[in-house]
Amino acid sequence: MILVSACLVGVNCRYNGEGNNHPDVLAYLKDKQWIPICPEQLGGLPTPRSPAEITNGDGADVLSKEASVVTQDGLDVSESFIRGAEETLHIAQLSRATEAILKERSPSCGSCQIYDGSFEGKKKLGSGVTATLLKLHGIQVRSEEDL
């Protein structure tokens, strides 16, 4: 079983209410079993929602409470991101998922890169909250850019 960021298969769940119908992801998933997930919605956040970025760290730091996920208007949404990661992990465990294809640069789903917390489009190395938690539990995580 494969978990896939719902936005990558056209579900309008991104922060701005849009989705990304990603042809490479859809082609890869053809003839495979997969489950679409949106950790931010699973964590209780609405769609659309204010953009959020991780400040002072990465997903591992958010999970250990050493960094925060903050919206552009200053609201700390770390607990929603952690809850969404935990719910995604629960789905992965119930479905025996071994792989996840997640949206790069997302504060939840980024597998190698995330935005730096400045809301200026600057990127840094690091994983999002959900990507980190899945990796910690032995699930292979990659992005749409790795297909």
Side-chain angles (χ1 to χ4, degrees):
M1 185 64 65
I2 303 169
L3 298 185
V4 62
S5 290
C7 63
L8 294 175
V9 294
V11 177
N12 294 332
C13 59
R14 293 184 62 218
Y15 74 93
N16 60 5
E18 297 178 5
N20 294 322
N21 208 357
H22 200 285
D24 292 340
V25 172
L26 294 171
Y28 178 79
L29 294 172
K30 187 178 178 182
D31 300 324
K32 293 180 175 73
Q33 293 185 322
W34 54 278
I35 299 170
I37 50 95
C38 177
E40 294 169 26
Q41 287 183 333
L42 288 169
L45 294 173
T47 301
R49 57 192 166 273
S50 184
E53 294 185 6
I54 298 174
T55 59
N56 302 316
D58 62 10
D61 298 315
V62 174
L63 289 168
S64 67
K65 313 278 190 196
E66 296 173 13
S68 301
V69 185
V70 179
T71 64
Q72 193 167 26
D73 47 355
L75 180 65
D76 185 332
V77 290
S78 302
E79 289 305 315
S80 294
F81 274 73
I82 292 169
R83 186 172 42 253
E86 290 169 344
E87 290 297 322
T88 301
L89 176 62
H90 186 67
I91 292 167
Q93 291 170 330
L94 286 173
S95 66
R96 295 187 174 108
T98 57
E99 178 182 354
I101 302 168
L102 304 178
K103 180 71 183 112
E104 194 66 272
R105 291 176 290 285
S106 158
S108 291
C109 296
S111 61
C112 296
Q113 278 189 349
I114 54 175
Y115 290 105
D116 73 353
S118 68
F119 295 95
E120 295 176 0
K122 297 176 183 172
K123 298 168 244 174
K124 66 180 180 180
L125 294 178
S127 295
V129 181
T130 296
T132 299
L133 189 61
L134 293 177
K135 288 176 186 179
L136 288 171
H137 286 84
I139 296 169
Q140 177 190 6
V141 176
R142 45 193 186 146
S143 79
E144 76 281 11
E145 297 172 6
D146 295 330
L147 296 179

Coordinates of all heavy atoms in Angstrom, one line a residue, residues 21-112:
N21 N -2.9 18.2 -9.8 CA -3.1 16.9 -10.5 C -1.8 16.6 -11.2 O -1.5 17.0 -12.3 CB -4.2 17.0 -11.5 CG -4.9 15.7 -11.7 OD1 -4.5 14.7 -11.1 ND2 -6.0 15.8 -12.5
H22 N -0.9 15.8 -10.5 CA 0.5 15.6 -10.9 C 0.5 14.3 -11.8 O 0.4 13.2 -11.3 CB 1.4 15.4 -9.7 CG 2.8 15.7 -10.0 ND1 3.6 14.8 -10.7 CD2 3.6 16.7 -9.7 CE1 4.8 15.3 -10.8 NE2 4.8 16.4 -10.2
P23 N 0.8 14.5 -13.1 CA 0.7 13.4 -14.1 C 1.7 12.3 -13.8 O 1.4 11.1 -13.9 CB 1.0 14.0 -15.4 CG 1.4 15.4 -15.2 CD 1.0 15.8 -13.8
D24 N 2.9 12.6 -13.3 CA 3.9 11.6 -13.0 C 3.5 10.7 -11.8 O 3.7 9.5 -11.8 CB 5.3 12.2 -12.7 CG 5.9 12.8 -13.9 OD1 5.6 12.5 -15.0 OD2 6.8 13.7 -13.7
V25 N 2.8 11.4 -10.8 CA 2.3 10.6 -9.7 C 1.2 9.7 -10.1 O 1.2 8.5 -9.7 CB 1.9 11.6 -8.5 CG1 1.2 10.8 -7.4 CG2 3.0 12.4 -8.0
L26 N 0.3 10.2 -10.9 CA -0.8 9.4 -11.4 C -0.3 8.2 -12.2 O -0.8 7.1 -12.1 CB -1.8 10.3 -12.1 CG -2.5 11.3 -11.3 CD1 -3.3 12.3 -12.2 CD2 -3.4 10.7 -10.3
A27 N 0.6 8.5 -13.0 CA 1.2 7.4 -13.8 C 1.9 6.3 -13.0 O 1.7 5.1 -13.2 CB 2.2 7.9 -14.9
Y28 N 2.6 6.7 -12.0 CA 3.3 5.8 -11.0 C 2.3 5.0 -10.3 O 2.5 3.8 -10.0 CB 4.2 6.6 -10.1 CG 4.9 5.7 -9.1 CD1 6.0 5.0 -9.4 CD2 4.4 5.6 -7.8 CE1 6.6 4.1 -8.5 CE2 5.0 4.8 -6.8 CZ 6.1 4.0 -7.2 OH 6.7 3.2 -6.3
L29 N 1.2 5.6 -9.9 CA 0.2 4.9 -9.1 C -0.7 3.9 -9.9 O -1.4 3.1 -9.3 CB -0.7 5.9 -8.3 CG 0.0 6.8 -7.3 CD1 -0.9 7.9 -6.8 CD2 0.5 5.9 -6.2
K30 N -0.7 4.1 -11.2 CA -1.6 3.2 -12.0 C -1.3 1.8 -11.7 O -0.1 1.3 -11.6 CB -1.3 3.5 -13.5 CG -2.3 2.8 -14.4 CD -2.0 3.1 -15.8 CE -3.0 2.3 -16.6 NZ -2.9 2.5 -18.0
D31 N -2.3 1.0 -11.5 CA -2.3 -0.4 -11.2 C -1.6 -0.7 -9.8 O -1.2 -1.9 -9.6 CB -1.5 -1.2 -12.3 CG -2.2 -1.1 -13.6 OD1 -3.4 -1.0 -13.7 OD2 -1.5 -1.0 -14.6
K32 N -1.6 0.3 -8.9 CA -1.1 0.0 -7.5 C -2.2 0.4 -6.6 O -3.1 1.1 -6.9 CB 0.1 0.9 -7.3 CG 1.4 0.5 -8.1 CD 2.5 1.5 -7.7 CE 3.8 1.1 -8.4 NZ 3.9 1.3 -9.8
Q33 N -2.1 -0.1 -5.4 CA -3.1 0.2 -4.3 C -2.5 1.4 -3.5 O -1.4 1.4 -3.1 CB -3.3 -0.9 -3.4 CG -4.0 -2.1 -4.0 CD -4.3 -3.2 -3.0 OE1 -3.5 -3.5 -2.1 NE2 -5.5 -3.8 -3.2
W34 N -3.4 2.5 -3.4 CA -2.9 3.7 -2.7 C -4.1 4.4 -2.0 O -5.2 4.1 -2.3 CB -2.2 4.6 -3.7 CG -3.0 5.0 -4.9 CD1 -3.2 4.2 -6.1 CD2 -3.8 6.1 -5.1 NE1 -4.0 4.8 -7.0 CE2 -4.4 6.0 -6.4 CE3 -4.1 7.2 -4.4 CZ2 -5.2 7.0 -6.9 CZ3 -4.9 8.2 -4.9 CH2 -5.5 8.1 -6.2
I35 N -3.7 5.2 -1.0 CA -4.6 5.9 -0.2 C -4.2 7.4 -0.2 O -3.1 7.7 0.1 CB -4.7 5.4 1.2 CG1 -5.0 3.9 1.3 CG2 -5.6 6.3 2.1 CD1 -4.8 3.3 2.7
P36 N -5.2 8.3 -0.6 CA -4.8 9.7 -0.6 C -5.0 10.2 0.9 O -5.9 9.8 1.6 CB -5.9 10.4 -1.5 CG -7.0 9.4 -1.4 CD -6.5 8.0 -1.2
I37 N -4.0 11.0 1.3 CA -4.1 11.6 2.7 C -3.7 13.1 2.6 O -2.9 13.5 1.8 CB -3.1 10.9 3.7 CG1 -1.7 10.7 3.1 CG2 -3.7 9.5 4.0 CD1 -0.8 11.8 3.5
C38 N -4.3 13.9 3.5 CA -3.9 15.3 3.7 C -3.7 15.4 5.2 O -4.6 15.6 6.0 CB -4.9 16.2 3.2 SG -4.4 18.0 3.6
P39 N -2.4 15.4 5.7 CA -2.2 15.5 7.1 C -2.7 16.7 7.7 O -3.1 16.7 8.9 CB -0.6 15.4 7.2 CG -0.2 14.8 6.0 CD -1.2 15.2 4.9
E40 N -2.7 17.8 7.0 CA -3.2 19.1 7.6 C -4.7 19.0 7.9 O -5.2 19.5 8.9 CB -2.8 20.2 6.7 CG -1.2 20.4 6.8 CD -0.6 21.3 5.7 OE1 -1.3 22.3 5.3 OE2 0.5 21.1 5.4
Q41 N -5.4 18.4 6.9 CA -6.9 18.3 7.2 C -7.1 17.2 8.3 O -7.9 17.4 9.2 CB -7.6 17.8 5.9 CG -7.7 18.9 4.9 CD -8.5 18.5 3.7 OE1 -8.5 17.3 3.3 NE2 -9.1 19.4 3.0
L42 N -6.3 16.1 8.3 CA -6.4 15.1 9.3 C -6.1 15.7 10.7 O -6.6 15.2 11.7 CB -5.5 13.9 9.0 CG -5.9 13.0 7.9 CD1 -4.8 12.1 7.5 CD2 -7.2 12.3 8.2
G43 N -5.3 16.7 10.7 CA -5.0 17.4 12.0 C -6.0 18.4 12.4 O -5.9 19.1 13.5
G44 N -7.1 18.6 11.6 CA -8.2 19.5 12.0 C -8.1 20.9 11.4 O -9.0 21.7 11.7
L45 N -7.2 21.1 10.5 CA -7.1 22.5 9.9 C -8.1 22.6 8.7 O -8.3 21.6 8.0 CB -5.7 22.7 9.4 CG -4.6 22.8 10.5 CD1 -3.2 22.9 9.9 CD2 -4.9 24.0 11.4
P46 N -8.6 23.8 8.5 CA -9.6 24.0 7.4 C -8.9 24.1 6.1 O -7.7 24.3 6.0 CB -10.3 25.3 7.8 CG -9.2 26.0 8.5 CD -8.4 25.0 9.3
T47 N -9.7 24.0 5.0 CA -9.2 24.4 3.7 C -10.2 25.3 3.1 O -11.4 25.0 3.1 CB -9.2 23.1 2.8 OG1 -8.3 22.2 3.4 CG2 -8.7 23.4 1.4
P48 N -9.8 26.5 2.6 CA -8.4 27.0 2.6 C -8.0 27.4 4.0 O -8.8 27.5 5.0 CB -8.5 28.2 1.7 CG -9.9 28.6 1.7 CD -10.7 27.4 2.0
R49 N -6.7 27.6 4.2 CA -6.1 28.0 5.5 C -4.9 28.9 5.2 O -4.4 29.0 4.1 CB -5.7 26.8 6.3 CG -4.7 25.9 5.6 CD -4.5 24.6 6.3 NE -3.8 23.6 5.4 CZ -4.5 22.8 4.5 NH1 -5.8 22.8 4.4 NH2 -3.8 22.0 3.8
S50 N -4.5 29.6 6.2 CA -3.4 30.5 6.1 C -2.1 29.7 5.8 O -1.9 28.6 6.4 CB -3.2 31.3 7.4 OG -2.2 32.3 7.3
P51 N -1.2 30.1 5.0 CA 0.0 29.4 4.7 C 0.8 29.2 6.0 O 0.8 30.1 6.9 CB 0.8 30.3 3.8 CG -0.1 31.3 3.2 CD -1.3 31.4 4.2
A52 N 1.5 28.1 6.2 CA 2.3 27.8 7.4 C 3.7 27.4 7.0 O 3.8 26.7 6.0 CB 1.6 26.8 8.3
E53 N 4.6 27.7 7.9 CA 6.0 27.2 7.7 C 6.6 26.9 9.0 O 6.1 27.4 10.1 CB 6.9 28.3 7.0 CG 6.4 28.6 5.6 CD 7.3 29.6 4.8 OE1 8.4 30.0 5.4 OE2 7.0 30.0 3.7
I54 N 7.6 26.0 9.0 CA 8.3 25.6 10.2 C 9.3 26.7 10.6 O 10.1 27.0 9.7 CB 8.9 24.2 10.1 CG1 7.9 23.2 9.8 CG2 9.8 23.9 11.3 CD1 8.4 21.8 9.5
T55 N 9.3 27.2 11.8 CA 10.3 28.2 12.2 C 11.3 27.5 13.2 O 10.9 26.7 14.0 CB 9.6 29.4 12.9 OG1 8.9 28.9 14.1 CG2 8.6 30.1 12.0
N56 N 12.6 27.9 13.0 CA 13.6 27.4 13.9 C 13.9 25.9 13.9 O 14.1 25.4 15.0 CB 13.4 28.0 15.3 CG 13.3 29.5 15.3 OD1 14.1 30.2 14.7 ND2 12.3 30.0 16.0
G57 N 13.7 25.3 12.8 CA 14.0 23.8 12.7 C 13.3 23.1 11.6 O 13.0 23.7 10.6
D58 N 13.1 21.9 11.8 CA 12.4 21.0 10.8 C 11.3 20.2 11.5 O 11.0 20.4 12.7 CB 13.4 20.2 10.0 CG 14.2 19.2 10.8 OD1 13.8 19.0 12.0 OD2 15.1 18.7 10.3
G59 N 10.8 19.2 10.8 CA 9.8 18.3 11.3 C 10.2 17.6 12.6 O 9.4 17.5 13.5
A60 N 11.4 17.1 12.6 CA 11.9 16.4 13.8 C 11.9 17.4 15.0 O 11.5 17.0 16.1 CB 13.3 15.9 13.6
D61 N 12.2 18.6 14.8 CA 12.2 19.6 15.9 C 10.8 19.9 16.3 O 10.6 20.2 17.5 CB 13.0 20.9 15.4 CG 14.4 20.6 15.1 OD1 15.1 19.9 15.9 OD2 14.9 21.1 14.0
V62 N 9.9 20.0 15.4 CA 8.5 20.2 15.8 C 8.0 19.0 16.6 O 7.3 19.2 17.7 CB 7.6 20.4 14.5 CG1 6.1 20.5 14.9 CG2 8.0 21.6 13.8
L63 N 8.3 17.8 16.2 CA 7.9 16.6 17.0 C 8.4 16.6 18.4 O 7.8 16.1 19.3 CB 8.2 15.3 16.2 CG 7.4 15.0 14.9 CD1 8.1 13.9 14.1 CD2 6.0 14.7 15.3
S64 N 9.7 17.1 18.5 CA 10.3 17.2 19.9 C 10.0 18.5 20.6 O 10.6 18.7 21.6 CB 11.8 16.9 19.7 OG 12.4 18.0 19.1
K65 N 9.1 19.3 20.0 CA 8.7 20.5 20.6 C 9.8 21.6 20.7 O 9.8 22.5 21.6 CB 8.1 20.3 22.0 CG 7.1 19.2 22.1 CD 5.7 19.6 21.7 CE 4.8 18.5 22.1 NZ 3.5 18.5 21.5
E66 N 10.8 21.5 19.9 CA 11.9 22.4 19.8 C 11.7 23.5 18.7 O 12.5 24.4 18.6 CB 13.2 21.7 19.7 CG 13.5 20.8 20.9 CD 14.8 19.9 20.6 OE1 15.5 20.2 19.7 OE2 14.9 19.0 21.4
A67 N 10.7 23.3 17.9 CA 10.4 24.2 16.8 C 8.9 24.3 16.7 O 8.2 23.5 17.3 CB 11.1 23.8 15.5
S68 N 8.4 25.2 15.9 CA 7.0 25.4 15.7 C 6.6 25.5 14.3 O 7.4 25.9 13.4 CB 6.5 26.7 16.4 OG 6.8 26.7 17.8
V69 N 5.3 25.2 14.0 CA 4.7 25.5 12.7 C 3.8 26.7 13.0 O 3.0 26.6 13.8 CB 3.9 24.3 12.2 CG1 3.4 24.6 10.8 CG2 4.7 23.0 12.2
V70 N 4.1 27.7 12.2 CA 3.4 29.0 12.4 C 2.8 29.5 11.1 O 3.4 29.4 10.1 CB 4.4 30.1 13.0 CG1 3.7 31.4 13.2 CG2 5.0 29.6 14.3
T71 N 1.6 30.0 11.2 CA 1.0 30.6 10.0 C 1.6 31.9 9.7 O 2.2 32.6 10.5 CB -0.6 30.7 10.2 OG1 -0.8 31.7 11.2 CG2 -1.2 29.4 10.5
Q72 N 1.3 32.4 8.5 CA 1.8 33.7 8.0 C 1.3 34.8 8.9 O 2.0 35.8 9.1 CB 1.4 33.9 6.6 CG 2.1 35.0 5.9 CD 1.9 35.0 4.4 OE1 0.9 34.5 3.9 NE2 2.9 35.6 3.7
D73 N 0.1 34.6 9.5 CA -0.4 35.6 10.4 C -0.1 35.4 11.9 O -0.6 36.0 12.8 CB -1.9 35.9 10.2 CG -2.7 34.6 10.2 OD1 -2.1 33.5 10.2 OD2 -3.9 34.6 10.1
G74 N 0.9 34.5 12.2 CA 1.5 34.3 13.5 C 0.8 33.3 14.4 O 1.2 33.2 15.6
L75 N -0.1 32.5 14.0 CA -0.8 31.5 14.8 C 0.1 30.2 14.8 O 0.5 29.7 13.8 CB -2.2 31.2 14.2 CG -3.0 30.2 15.0 CD1 -3.4 30.7 16.4 CD2 -4.3 29.9 14.2
D76 N 0.3 29.7 16.0 CA 1.1 28.5 16.2 C 0.1 27.3 15.9 O -0.8 27.1 16.7 CB 1.7 28.4 17.6 CG 2.6 27.2 17.8 OD1 2.4 26.1 17.1 OD2 3.5 27.3 18.6
V77 N 0.4 26.5 14.9 CA -0.5 25.4 14.5 C 0.3 24.1 14.7 O -0.1 23.1 14.1 CB -1.1 25.6 13.1 CG1 -2.1 26.7 13.1 CG2 0.0 25.8 12.1
S78 N 1.3 24.1 15.5 CA 2.1 22.9 15.7 C 1.3 21.7 16.1 O 1.5 20.6 15.6 CB 3.2 23.2 16.7 OG 4.0 24.3 16.3
E79 N 0.4 21.8 17.0 CA -0.4 20.7 17.5 C -1.2 20.1 16.4 O -1.4 18.9 16.4 CB -1.2 21.1 18.8 CG -0.4 21.3 20.0 CD 0.6 20.2 20.4 OE1 0.1 19.0 20.4 OE2 1.7 20.4 20.7
S80 N -1.8 20.9 15.6 CA -2.6 20.4 14.4 C -1.7 19.6 13.5 O -2.1 18.5 13.0 CB -3.3 21.5 13.7 OG -4.2 22.1 14.5
F81 N -0.5 20.1 13.3 CA 0.5 19.4 12.4 C 0.9 18.1 13.0 O 1.0 17.0 12.3 CB 1.7 20.3 12.0 CG 1.4 21.2 10.9 CD1 0.5 22.3 11.0 CD2 2.0 20.9 9.6 CE1 0.3 23.1 9.9 CE2 1.7 21.8 8.5 CZ 0.9 22.9 8.7
I82 N 1.2 18.1 14.3 CA 1.5 16.8 15.0 C 0.4 15.8 15.0 O 0.6 14.6 14.6 CB 2.0 17.1 16.4 CG1 3.3 17.9 16.4 CG2 2.2 15.8 17.2 CD1 3.8 18.4 17.7
R83 N -0.8 16.3 15.3 CA -2.0 15.4 15.2 C -2.2 14.8 13.8 O -2.5 13.6 13.7 CB -3.2 16.2 15.7 CG -4.5 15.3 15.8 CD -5.7 16.0 16.5 NE -5.9 17.4 16.1 CZ -5.6 18.4 16.8 NH1 -5.1 18.3 18.0 NH2 -5.9 19.7 16.4
G84 N -2.0 15.6 12.8 CA -2.2 15.2 11.4 C -1.1 14.1 11.1 O -1.4 13.1 10.4
A85 N 0.1 14.3 11.5 CA 1.2 13.3 11.3 C 0.8 12.0 12.0 O 1.0 10.9 11.4 CB 2.5 13.9 11.8
E86 N 0.3 12.1 13.2 CA 0.0 10.9 14.0 C -1.2 10.2 13.3 O -1.2 8.9 13.3 CB -0.4 11.3 15.4 CG 0.9 11.7 16.2 CD 0.5 12.3 17.6 OE1 -0.6 12.7 17.8 OE2 1.5 12.4 18.4
E87 N -2.2 10.9 12.8 CA -3.3 10.3 12.1 C -2.8 9.6 10.8 O -3.3 8.5 10.5 CB -4.4 11.3 11.9 CG -5.1 11.7 13.1 CD -5.9 10.6 13.8 OE1 -6.5 9.7 13.1 OE2 -5.9 10.6 15.0
T88 N -1.9 10.3 10.1 CA -1.4 9.7 8.9 C -0.6 8.4 9.2 O -0.8 7.4 8.5 CB -0.5 10.7 8.2 OG1 -1.2 11.9 7.9 CG2 0.1 10.1 6.9
L89 N 0.2 8.4 10.3 CA 0.9 7.2 10.7 C -0.1 6.1 11.0 O 0.2 4.9 10.6 CB 1.8 7.5 11.9 CG 2.6 6.3 12.4 CD1 3.5 5.7 11.4 CD2 3.3 6.7 13.7
H90 N -1.1 6.4 11.7 CA -2.1 5.4 12.1 C -2.7 4.8 10.8 O -2.9 3.5 10.7 CB -3.2 6.1 12.9 CG -4.2 5.1 13.5 ND1 -3.9 4.1 14.4 CD2 -5.5 5.0 13.2 CE1 -5.0 3.4 14.7 NE2 -6.0 3.9 13.9
I91 N -3.1 5.6 9.8 CA -3.6 5.1 8.5 C -2.5 4.2 7.9 O -2.8 3.1 7.4 CB -4.0 6.2 7.6 CG1 -5.2 6.9 8.2 CG2 -4.2 5.7 6.2 CD1 -5.5 8.3 7.5
A92 N -1.3 4.6 7.9 CA -0.2 3.8 7.3 C -0.1 2.5 8.0 O 0.1 1.4 7.3 CB 1.1 4.6 7.4
Q93 N -0.2 2.5 9.3 CA 0.0 1.2 10.0 C -1.2 0.3 9.8 O -1.1 -0.9 9.6 CB 0.1 1.5 11.5 CG 1.5 2.1 11.8 CD 1.6 2.6 13.2 OE1 0.7 3.1 13.9 NE2 2.9 2.6 13.7
L94 N -2.4 0.9 9.8 CA -3.6 0.0 9.6 C -3.6 -0.6 8.2 O -4.1 -1.7 8.0 CB -4.9 0.9 9.7 CG -5.3 1.2 11.2 CD1 -6.5 2.2 11.1 CD2 -5.6 0.0 11.9
S95 N -3.1 0.2 7.2 CA -3.1 -0.3 5.8 C -1.9 -1.0 5.4 O -1.7 -1.5 4.3 CB -3.3 0.9 4.9 OG -2.2 1.8 4.9
R96 N -0.9 -1.1 6.4 CA 0.4 -1.7 6.1 C 1.1 -1.1 5.0 O 1.8 -1.7 4.1 CB 0.2 -3.2 5.9 CG -0.3 -4.0 7.1 CD -0.2 -5.5 6.9 NE -0.6 -6.1 8.1 CZ -1.7 -6.7 8.3 NH1 -2.7 -6.8 7.4 NH2 -2.0 -7.3 9.5
A97 N 1.0 0.3 4.9 CA 1.7 1.0 3.9 C 3.2 0.9 4.1 O 3.7 0.9 5.2 CB 1.3 2.5 3.9
T98 N 3.9 0.8 3.0 CA 5.4 0.7 3.1 C 6.1 1.9 2.4 O 7.3 2.1 2.5 CB 5.9 -0.6 2.4 OG1 5.5 -0.6 1.1 CG2 5.4 -1.8 3.2
E99 N 5.3 2.7 1.7 CA 5.8 3.8 0.9 C 4.8 5.0 1.0 O 3.6 4.8 1.1 CB 5.9 3.3 -0.5 CG 6.4 4.3 -1.5 CD 6.4 3.7 -2.9 OE1 6.2 2.5 -3.1 OE2 6.7 4.6 -3.8
A100 N 5.4 6.2 0.9 CA 4.6 7.4 0.8 C 5.2 8.3 -0.2 O 6.4 8.5 -0.2 CB 4.5 8.1 2.2
I101 N 4.3 8.9 -1.0 CA 4.7 9.9 -2.0 C 4.1 11.2 -1.5 O 2.8 11.4 -1.5 CB 4.3 9.6 -3.4 CG1 4.8 8.2 -3.8 CG2 4.7 10.7 -4.4 CD1 4.2 7.7 -5.1
L102 N 4.9 12.2 -1.0 CA 4.4 13.4 -0.4 C 4.9 14.6 -1.1 O 6.0 14.6 -1.7 CB 4.9 13.4 1.1 CG 4.5 12.1 1.9 CD1 5.0 12.2 3.3 CD2 3.0 11.9 2.0
K103 N 4.1 15.7 -0.9 CA 4.4 17.0 -1.6 C 5.6 17.6 -1.0 O 5.7 18.0 0.1 CB 3.2 17.9 -1.4 CG 3.3 19.2 -2.1 CD 3.3 19.1 -3.6 CE 3.6 20.5 -4.3 NZ 4.8 20.6 -4.9
E104 N 6.6 17.8 -1.9 CA 7.9 18.4 -1.5 C 7.6 19.9 -1.0 O 6.8 20.5 -1.6 CB 8.9 18.4 -2.6 CG 10.3 18.7 -2.2 CD 10.9 17.7 -1.3 OE1 10.7 17.8 -0.1 OE2 11.5 16.7 -1.8
R105 N 8.4 20.3 -0.1 CA 8.5 21.6 0.5 C 7.3 22.0 1.5 O 7.3 23.0 2.1 CB 8.6 22.7 -0.6 CG 10.0 22.7 -1.2 CD 10.1 23.7 -2.4 NE 9.3 23.3 -3.6 CZ 9.6 22.3 -4.4 NH1 10.7 21.6 -4.2 NH2 8.9 22.1 -5.4
S106 N 6.3 21.1 1.6 CA 5.2 21.3 2.5 C 5.8 21.1 4.0 O 6.6 20.3 4.2 CB 4.2 20.2 2.3 OG 3.3 20.0 3.4
P107 N 5.2 21.9 4.9 CA 5.6 21.8 6.3 C 5.2 20.5 6.9 O 5.7 20.0 7.9 CB 5.0 23.0 7.0 CG 3.9 23.4 6.1 CD 4.3 23.0 4.7
S108 N 4.2 19.8 6.3 CA 3.8 18.5 6.7 C 4.6 17.4 5.9 O 5.1 16.5 6.5 CB 2.3 18.2 6.4 OG 1.5 19.0 7.3
C109 N 4.6 17.6 4.6 CA 4.9 16.5 3.7 C 6.3 16.6 3.0 O 6.8 15.6 2.4 CB 3.9 16.4 2.6 SG 2.2 15.9 3.2
G110 N 7.0 17.7 3.1 CA 8.3 17.8 2.5 C 9.2 16.7 2.9 O 9.4 16.4 4.1
S111 N 9.8 16.0 1.9 CA 10.6 14.8 2.3 C 12.1 15.2 2.4 O 12.9 14.6 3.1 CB 10.5 13.7 1.3 OG 10.9 14.1 0.0
C112 N 12.5 16.2 1.6 CA 14.0 16.7 1.6 C 14.1 18.2 1.8 O 15.1 18.6 2.3 CB 14.6 16.3 0.3 SG 14.7 14.5 0.0

